[in-house]
C-alpha cells in the first residue's frame, strides 16, 4: 500500500522509514528509526529524485507507482551514490528502461562500481551550472563535494524555489507521518538528533559545508528537501543558522561536557565533583560515561558546548580504551575551537593525561588547561585544590 505526501502540486514525497535498523551505516544507533526521502516530480517530464535504502524498497516501489499514476519515468536524478539512497536504483532502472539518469561524472563512476556501467544513452552527466528543463520546471545543479561524499550534487528548482540538498539538513529519527519540519516541534524534539546526524555524518567537512552554504545564500529558497528527515518550508533560516555554526565549529551553547570512563567508580567520583563545582558556579553541565553511551552522542555534545572535561583512567600504560575511542572519533570529526580540562587516574603510573594532550595536539584550536587533576586510585583532599583551580578557570572563561 502506498504512503506518500504532497510537497507541492507537482512534487510528491515518496520515501519510507526503517525502524528495524539498529545501526545506521553500521555505526550509529538510530533508536527512533531513520527515514530515506525520495521525491517524484510530475511535470511534462517525470523526475525521480534519488531512491532509497534496500530495506524499504517494497514501500518505495509502491509509492513510486502510485505517484506516477501510470506515467512512465523520464529521469532519475542521483544526487548522492551512497547506498542508503541508491541501493534501489537498479530496481527502478529495470522497471523503467527508458528512464535516463542525471548525475555527476563522479557519481556515474560510482554507479559502475556499485552496480554496473550504464550505457551512455541512459546517462546525462551534469556539472555545476548545468540545467535540466522538465516542462514548467527548470533545475540547476550545484556541486557539493564531501557533503557527504565527493560525487554529491544538489539541485535547485527555480520554478518553485526548492533546493534538494542530499544529506545536508537531514536528521536521524523517523518522522512518524510528518514530512514538514513545521508539523513537529523540531527545535524541541528533533534538534539533538539533527545535530548528532550532522556532526557524525558531515562534521569533518566543515569547510565544504561552508562552501555550499555560500552558494545557497545566493539562491531564493522557499523549501529545502533533504534525503533524511524533514522538508523545510518555514523557519529555513533557523536550520541554516545551525549548519553555519556547526560547520564553523563555533560554540552553540556555553557549558561543559564531562566525558568520563571509570572502572571502579573513583574517576567517576572526581568527574561528579567537577560537575557539582561547576553547577555551584551556575554553569550548565552535561555528563556521559563513554563506556556506556555511544560515541556519536558524545561527539554531538562536544560540538555543542564550549568546554569539555575528559576524565579517565590509565590502562595498559595508555588511555582507557573507551576514552581512547572517543578521542579518536572526536579528532576524526575535526574537534576544534574548545577549551579542555583533564582528570587522569592511574594507581601506579598515571599516563592518560599526557597521552590525551598528545592526541588533542592533532586537533585545531584546542586549549588544554594547565590545571590537570592527577588521581592515584581515588581522589584525595589535596587533589581538590587542583579541581577547584580547573573549574575556576572554566568559570572565568564563561
Ligand atoms: Fe544518507 Fe551519505 O548518505
Amino acid at each position: 500500500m502506498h504512503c506518500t505526501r504532497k510537497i507541492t502540486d507537482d512534487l510528491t514525497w515518496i520515501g519510507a522509514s526503517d525502524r528495524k535498523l539498529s545501526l545506521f551505516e553500521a555505526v550509529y544507533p538510530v533508536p527512533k528509526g531513520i527515514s530515506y526521502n525520495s521525491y517524484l516530480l510530475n511535470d511534462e517530464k517525470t523526475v525521480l529524485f534519488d531512491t532509497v535504502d534496500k530495506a524499504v524498497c517494497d514501500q518505495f516501489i509502491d509509492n513510486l507507482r502510485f505517484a506516477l499514476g501510470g506515467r512512465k519515468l523520464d529521469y532519475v536524478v542521483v544526487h548522492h551514490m551512497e547506498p542508503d539512497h541508491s541501493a534501489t536504483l537498479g530496481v527502478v532502472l529495470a522497471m523503467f528502461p527508458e528512464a535516463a539518469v542525471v548525475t555527476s561524472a563522479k557519481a556515474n563512476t560510482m554507479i559502475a562500481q556499485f552496480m554496473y556501467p550504464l550505457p551512455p544513452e541512459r546517462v546525462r552527466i551534469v556539472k555545476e551550472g548545468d540545467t535540466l528543463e522538465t516542462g514548467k520546471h527548470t533545475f540547476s545543479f550545484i556541486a557539493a563535494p564531501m557533503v557527504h561524499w565527493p560525487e554529491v550534487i544538489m539541485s535547485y528548482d527555480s520554478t518553485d524555489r526548492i533546493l534538494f540538498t542530499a544529506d545536508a539538513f537531514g536528521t536521524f529519527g523517523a518522522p512518524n507521518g510528518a514530512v514538514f519540519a513545521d508539523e513537529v516541534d523540531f527545535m524541541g524534539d528533533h534538534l539533538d538528533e539533527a545535530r548528532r546526524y550532522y556532526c557524525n555524518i558531515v562534521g569533518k567537512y566543515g569547510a565544504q559545508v561552508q562552501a555550499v552554504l555560500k552558494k545557497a545564500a545566493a539562491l531564493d529558497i522557499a523549501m529545502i528537501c533533504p534525503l533524511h528527515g524533514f522538508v523545510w518550508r518555514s523557519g529555513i533560516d533557523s536550520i541554516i543558522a545551525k549548519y553555519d555554526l556547526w560547520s564553523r565549529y563555533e560554540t552553540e551553547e556555553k557549558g561543559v561536557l564531562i566525558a568520563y570512563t571509570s572502572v571502579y567508580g573513583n574517576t567517576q567520583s572526581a568527574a561528579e565533583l567537577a560537575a557539582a563545582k561547576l553547577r555551584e558556579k551556575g554553569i550548565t553541565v552535561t555528563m556521559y560515561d563513554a563506556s556506556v553511551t555511544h560515541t556519536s552522542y558524545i561527539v554531538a555534545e562536544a560540538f555543542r558546548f564550549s568546554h569539555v572535561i575528559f576524565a579517565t583512567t590509565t590502562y595498559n600504560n595508555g588511555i582507557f580504551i573507551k576514552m581512547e575511542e572517543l578521542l579518536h572519533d572526536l579528532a576524526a570529526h575535526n574537534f576544534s575551537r574548545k577549551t579542555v580540562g583533564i582528570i587522569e587516574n592511574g594507581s601506579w603510573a598515571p599516563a592518560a593525561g599526557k597521552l590525551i594532550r598528545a592526541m588533542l595536539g592533532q586537533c585545531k584550536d584546542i586549549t588544554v588547561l594547565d590545571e590537570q587533576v592527577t588521581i592515584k586510585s581515588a581522589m584525595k583532599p589535596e587533589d581538590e585544590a587542583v579541581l577547584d583551580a580547573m573549574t575556576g578557570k572554566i568559570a572565568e572563561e564563561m
Side-chain angles (χ1 to χ4, degrees), residues 24-25 36 80 82-85 148-149 167 197 201 227-228:
F24 178 71
E25 291 187 2
Y36 304 103
H80 182 19
E82 191 163 10
D84 56 332
H85 310 294
H148 139 239
W149 278 14
D167 274 338
Y197 172 88
I201 304 296
L227 287 178
H228 302 283

Side-chain angles (χ1 to χ4, degrees), residues 254-271:
K254 285 193 172 181
V256 183
L257 159 67
I258 301 179
Y260 69 89
T261 60
S262 188
V263 182
Y264 295 109
N266 294 304
T267 310
Q268 180 183 352
S269 290

Side-chain angles (χ1 to χ4, degrees), residues 5 11 14 16 48 50 54-55 67 78 91 98 131 135 156 169 174 189 193 229 231 237 261 291 294 302 308 383:
R5 292 282 311 269
L11 190 70
I14 59 166
L48 174 65
D50 298 291
K54 62 186 174 197
V78 175
V91 176
E98 61 290 293
T131 56
Y156 176 67
F169 305 107
D189 295 337
E193 283 295 77
V231 171
D237 288 351
T261 60
S291 292
H294 190 271
V308 182
D383 302 326

Side-chain angles (χ1 to χ4, degrees), residues 13-307:
W13 173 87
I14 59 166
S17 294
D18 185 357
R19 294 183 188 78
K20 283 196 172 76
L21 184 69
S22 55
L23 294 176
F24 178 71
E25 291 187 2
V27 182
Y28 305 110
V30 280
K32 294 179 180 173
I34 182 86
S35 67
Y36 304 103
N37 293 337
S38 172
Y39 306 90
L40 183 79
L41 181 83
N42 271 296
D43 197 0
E44 287 174 24
K45 300 286 185 186
T46 56
V47 187
L48 174 65
F49 295 93
D50 298 291
T51 65
V52 296
D53 190 85
K54 62 186 174 197
V56 294
C57 181
D58 290 353
Q59 179 70 63
F60 164 66
I61 295 298
D62 281 355
N63 293 351
L64 175 59
R65 283 189 196 282
F66 174 77
L68 277 169
R71 297 183 69 186
K72 69 182 178 64
L73 183 63
D74 295 302
Y75 296 113
V76 184
V77 174
V78 175
H79 291 112
H80 182 19
M81 257 310 285
E82 191 163 10
D84 56 332
H85 310 294
S86 69
T88 45
L89 177 62
V91 176
V92 170
L93 295 180
M95 281 175 65
F96 300 98
E98 61 290 293
V101 169
V102 180
T103 196
S104 67
K106 276 198 175 79
N108 191 42
T109 302
M110 287 184 183
I111 289 171
Q113 289 173 192
F114 277 107
M115 293 167 38
Y116 44 82
L118 295 177
E121 64 274 15
R122 289 205 77 177
V123 187
R124 178 161 162 186
I125 302 293
V126 290
K127 58 183 185 317
E128 181 153 306
D130 287 351
T131 56
L132 174 70
E133 307 274 349
T134 62
K136 199 171 106 189
H137 296 260
T138 301
F139 293 86
S140 55
F141 297 96
I142 298 156
M146 302 320 297
V147 189
H148 139 239
W149 278 14
E151 87 294 2
V152 171
I153 52 172
M154 296 183 179
S155 57
Y156 176 67
D157 173 5
S158 55
T159 307
D160 281 344
R161 298 179 293 133
I162 299 174
L163 184 63
F164 294 84
T165 56
D167 274 338
F169 305 107
T171 181
F172 292 136
N176 303 333
V179 69
F180 297 104
D182 56 36
E183 294 177 300
V184 298
D185 178 2
F186 184 88
M187 290 299 169
D189 295 337
H190 297 272
L191 181 62
D192 286 348
E193 283 295 77
R195 184 189 301 105
R196 186 167 71 92
Y197 172 88
Y198 170 83
C199 297
N200 288 279
I201 304 296
V202 282
K204 178 182 176 66
Y205 302 109
Q208 289 85 349
V209 173
Q210 278 287 306
V212 168
L213 289 178
K214 282 194 178 67
K215 295 179 193 179
L219 301 171
D220 178 12
I221 301 171
M223 208 177 280
I224 286 176
C225 289
L227 287 178
H228 302 283
F230 300 95
V231 171
W232 289 82
R233 63 180 173 185
S234 62
I236 290 174
D237 288 351
S238 63
I239 192 65
I240 288 182
K242 290 292 181 190
Y243 262 62
D244 183 43
L245 269 183
W246 296 335
S247 57
R248 285 188 287 112
Y249 305 96
E250 279 280 352
T251 291
E252 189 180 350
E253 200 174 322
K254 285 193 172 181
V256 183
L257 159 67
I258 301 179
Y260 69 89
T261 60
S262 188
V263 182
Y264 295 109
N266 294 304
T267 310
Q268 180 183 352
S269 290
E272 298 281 7
L273 189 55
K277 287 177 183 295
L278 290 164
R279 288 283 187 189
E280 281 173 356
K281 299 175 203 305
I283 295 168
T284 300
V285 177
T286 188
M287 292 184 78
Y288 293 92
D289 184 330
S291 292
V292 175
T293 302
H294 190 271
T295 303
S296 62
Y297 292 89
I298 308 176
V299 167
E301 295 288 61
F303 267 67
R304 178 182 178 185
F305 287 106
S306 55
H307 292 68

Side-chain angles (χ1 to χ4, degrees), residues 258-276 287-291 309-315 318-323 341-348 350-353 356 372-380 383 387 390:
I258 301 179
Y260 69 89
T261 60
S262 188
V263 182
Y264 295 109
N266 294 304
T267 310
Q268 180 183 352
S269 290
E272 298 281 7
L273 189 55
M287 292 184 78
Y288 293 92
D289 184 330
S291 292
I309 293 176
F310 297 109
T312 193
T313 46
T314 303
Y315 202 77
I319 303 167
F320 185 75
I321 183 69
K322 289 294 184 181
M323 180 58 71
I342 296 173
I343 300 170
E344 65 169 352
N345 198 346
S347 291
W348 58 95
I356 290 173
Q372 177 177 308
V373 179
T374 297
I375 306 165
K376 285 209 159 180
S377 303
M379 190 136 170
K380 302 291 185 299
D383 302 326
L387 191 61
M390 179 201 287

